[in-house]
Amino acid sequence: MFKNVIVRVPSKTISEGLTSANEGKPVYEKALVQHENYVSALTKTGVNVTVLEPKDEFPDSCFVEDVALCTSKCAIITRPGAESRRKEAELEDMIEALKSFYDNIEYIKAPGTIEAGDIMMVGDHFYIGHSDRTNEEGARQMIEILEKYGLTGQVVEMKEMLHLKTGLAYLENNNLLVAGEFKTAPEFEKFNKIEVDIKEAYGANCIWVNDYVLVPKGYPNVQKKIEDLGYKVLVVDTSEFRKIDGGLSCLSLRF
Ligand code: CIR
């Protein structure tokens, strides 16, 4: 179960966020409303939500998932692969917030790069995507830190997606949502795979929080498959974040 969540309010500069999507620029006011609704949905799952102030110098800073990995034993501050995001991991308010919850804080160091959107937790094991943002050295350091705390990690090679969790969501109870290149990846054979059609690929970025699953608005087939598994579903509109490649998981740290 998760007790805590950390989020950061979108900045006024969100329209300048990094993107590969061709869907126009996010509208700040809409993003703010969608973010408030996201926080409300999280609150329904019973977690305590810490809301950090916006940081206008970092257009992508609402995607807090990328700057830290929160485990049961320690929090690990990452070193983002995207240059424009690197200093997001040094923001004092985030580090202070994490220190208020964790005695053990670890750091990924240069030349390692890693964004925690590339890391999927399954119990005490962590799958780490080797992506354009996460390099071999970043993954190596991460696994070394995890092992120091009795946790384990393994690298997953990937080619198509921005982050590992762009195309994967672990819903607990061995249930794994899979899209695109991960449908056939041998690493995930042992899971009960729930395949997401290419037309709804963005819908693969759901989050399990205390037996609820937050599902993005507009992906009815994904939503139905998750409801059929017996989960309570909370639908959240993330259309403004989608325009800059962000989704439900990217917007919070859950621990
Ligand atoms: C980026 O390209 O870094 C942001 N525009 C989107 C980050 C999404 N984060 C995530 O998937 N964990």
Side-chain angles (χ1 to χ4, degrees), residues 15-27:
S15 62
E16 291 158 36
L18 296 174
T19 188
S20 63
N22 225 338
E23 299 177 10
K25 290 184 179 293
V27 177

Side-chain angles (χ1 to χ4, degrees), residues 18 60 63 65-66 85 115 117 133 162-163 244-246 250:
L18 296 174
D60 284 302
F63 301 121
E65 169 173 77
D66 294 317
R85 303 199 58 193
E115 298 185 2
R133 302 286 181 89
L162 171 61
H163 286 126
I244 51 169
D245 299 338
C250 323

Side-chain angles (χ1 to χ4, degrees), residues 74-89:
C74 61
I76 302 141
I77 311 286
T78 66
R79 185 168 179 274
E83 284 282 348
S84 68
R85 303 199 58 193
R86 191 148 301 154
K87 286 196 160 26
E88 282 178 37

